[in-house]
Amino acid sequence: MDGNRRWAEKRSMLRALGHVSGARQVRQIIDACMARGVNYLTLFAFSTENWQRPADEVSSLMGLLVHYLQKEVSAMHASGVRLKVVGDLNRFDRQLQSLMASGQALTANNSKLTLTIAANYGGRWDMMQAVQAWQAANPGQSVADMDEAALRPHLSMGYAPDPDLLIRTGGESRISNFMLWQVAYTELFFTDTLWPDFSAQSLDHALQWYQARDRRFGASNAPVAEITRYAI
Ligand code: IPE
Ligand code: MG
């Protein structure tokens, strides 16, 4: 969800207000996904690299995460959203960790849309922790005995299928350490739209683009699957 600060700068607003506007946009996109039959939505909220930002920005992002969870979880639950949070959560303070845990527990049996929030997440971190988790689950075995199928359940998103579509807002054409394992055959959509401006209409534009892709998964021609999951 890139472009919050540039959105604020364009309006001579404080950066923190760009993040606030970005967070406000999330509800609309969740609702639009549900209305379109998307079953999995994954949002990259905070990366392992974002700690390097100025302390006041990091603390305003943390405050926003707390505020968002306090304010939105009951509405999510009412509309059938299952909340998941992935990342190295130990680095967050106790209040945030407990909100994440209670939000996930409350919504665990919902099935309309699985909303994953990636927080203190990085694709490389995920692969490393998955190998270590595999090793812990298979003591005495060598990683030479591990194959892709054996590793997959230890990835932090082992509960979800790989995304069909990844949308990067904000004009950059890179993955920035998001879901590195899972995007092997994902369609990648890059847009200049800044995240706070990314609307249901922008989503439809991305979905129309997706519909025109020819997904071969390295093999021969197959029809484009109906989209069921995507990541931003
Ligand atoms: C949001 O956009 C990403 C987060 C870390 C929440 P940015 O803060 O990267 O905004 P830009 O890219 O500087 O405009
Ligand atoms: Mg950015």
Side-chain angles (χ1 to χ4, degrees):
M1 299 186 286
D2 198 17
N4 291 347
R5 296 185 301 186
R6 279 166 287 160
W7 185 92
E9 272 156 27
K10 266 171 54 180
R11 289 161 177 77
S12 308
M13 286 161 66
L14 291 171
R15 285 175 163 186
L17 290 176
H19 294 310
V20 170
S21 299
R24 274 205 199 114
Q25 201 64 5
V26 169
R27 164 87 72 100
Q28 193 192 135
I29 296 303
I30 293 173
D31 290 347
C33 283
M34 287 198 285
R36 287 153 184 76
V38 172
N39 303 125
Y40 290 85
L41 168 65
T42 303
L43 301 171
F44 199 4
F46 194 86
S47 77
T48 47
E49 291 75 28
N50 286 151
W51 297 107
Q52 295 161 34
R53 294 194 174 191
D56 62 334
E57 187 178 351
V58 170
S59 76
S60 70
L61 284 166
M62 292 302 128
L64 205 52
L65 265 171
V66 166
H67 179 73
Y68 186 81
L69 290 169
Q70 284 173 334
K71 198 167 137 280
E72 295 290 335
V73 164
S74 59
M76 279 183 207
H77 184 45
S79 55
V81 172
R82 173 172 69 144
L83 174 69
K84 292 284 213 178
V85 185
V86 295
D88 186 358
L89 306 184
N90 292 320
R91 183 132 180 218
F92 294 119
D93 70 24
R94 198 167 294 177
Q95 182 196 21
L96 193 44
Q97 286 190 45
S98 107
L99 281 167
M100 288 166 169
S102 60
Q104 292 182 95
L106 177 71
T107 62
N109 296 321
N110 294 338
S111 58
K112 189 146 196 266
L113 174 93
T114 297
L115 170 70
T116 302
I117 296 179
N120 196 23
Y121 172 91
R124 291 179 177 174
W125 164 82
D126 194 11
M127 288 190 223
M128 292 301 298
Q129 70 77 29
V131 171
Q132 287 160 2
W134 179 89
Q135 188 71 87
N138 296 278
Q141 284 193 50
S142 155
V143 287
D145 302 324
M146 181 182 74
D147 60 13
E148 290 181 15
L151 185 65
R152 191 173 269 276
H154 298 290
L155 289 161
S156 59
M157 292 192 60
Y159 55 86
D162 290 344
D164 293 315
L165 173 63
L166 180 143
I167 300 170
R168 171 138 193 178
T169 60
E172 311 289 2
S173 303
R174 52 178 175 256
I175 304 292
S176 300
N177 203 11
F178 193 35
M179 298 179 86
L180 295 180
W181 176 279
Q182 293 87 347
V183 298
Y185 283 99
T186 297
E187 299 295 328
L188 308 178
F189 182 82
F190 297 98
T191 172
D192 288 337
T193 303
L194 304 173
W195 171 253
D197 290 328
F198 192 85
S199 61
Q201 208 184 349
S202 316
L203 175 66
D204 283 333
H205 181 62
L207 295 177
Q208 276 156 20
W209 174 87
Y210 172 85
Q211 290 297 331
R213 309 312 302 160
D214 178 18
R215 304 189 78 195
R216 294 182 297 280
F217 298 95
S220 57
N221 288 351
V224 172
E226 197 178 321
I227 187 160
T228 56
R229 57 255 176 185
Y230 76 94
I232 297 173

